[in-house]
Amino acid sequence: MNENLTRPTEILAEDFLAAVQHPVRRADGLVLAKMMGRVTERRPVMWGPTMVGFGTYRYTTGSGRRGEYFVVGFSPRKASLSLYGLTSAPGSDALVEQLGKHKRGAGCLYVNTLADVDVAIVEQLVSLNYSYILGNLGS
């Protein structure tokens, strides 16, 4: 079976975030890391070269492929902040509607800056989805 290419790395999330060139992305990343760490009670872990994740769960796909992935996380990408793991739990859609300016991807939310959204709603989404995913898939 194919191995998941996105895996935890030895890179420190703090070092990655400190090196983000765009000052707003760097600042937003630091805010997200602090908030997600507080809510999940987990330290940030780098998954691949650009994704900061919190907590882990094991999954099995319909085809039988197994893997491990972070529960919630983000990436301060050039074009936008990508927020991962915030749309799975029942009740997420209602909160996302209150979020503010964002775009929705297949498994993530894209926001230009945290100033464009209600950070309290982001925090609620992190808490709701973290608990839901661990309660249903957690390891």
Side-chain angles (χ1 to χ4, degrees):
M1 288 195 186
N2 293 338
E3 218 176 293
N4 189 353
L5 297 176
T6 305
R7 293 179 286 219
T9 71
E10 297 297 319
I11 299 167
L12 294 176
E14 294 84 357
D15 292 346
F16 165 74
L17 291 170
V20 171
Q21 291 185 353
H22 192 288
V24 174
R25 295 272 184 277
R26 182 175 52 252
D28 285 352
L30 292 169
V31 168
L32 285 168
K34 185 175 181 179
M35 180 260 290
M36 287 185 175
R38 181 174 39 76
V39 171
T40 66
E41 299 180 343
R42 298 284 185 251
R43 289 194 43 78
V45 173
M46 289 302 300
W47 286 71
T50 63
M51 295 168 28
V52 180
F54 297 83
T56 60
Y57 69 96
R58 297 184 188 285
Y59 65 87
T60 303
T61 65
S63 65
R65 180 176 173 214
R66 295 173 187 234
E68 183 177 66
Y69 207 66
F70 61 86
V71 181
V72 295
F74 68 93
S75 181
R77 300 198 186 272
K78 238 179 210 181
S80 63
L81 289 168
S82 300
L83 307 176
Y84 302 104
L86 305 186
T87 60
S88 300
S92 295
D93 288 341
L95 286 170
V96 169
E97 287 178 18
Q98 301 171 49
L99 184 59
K101 186 178 176 183
H102 73 280
K103 292 182 182 176
R104 193 169 186 155
C108 62
L109 298 171
Y110 301 105
V111 300
N112 191 34
T113 70
L114 288 182
D116 291 338
V117 296
D118 185 335
V119 177
I121 297 293
V122 175
E123 186 169 339
Q124 288 178 53
L125 285 164
V126 169
S127 179
L128 176 68
N129 284 277
Y130 187 79
S131 297
Y132 175 77
I133 292 169
L134 285 184
N136 290 284
L137 303 171
S139 56

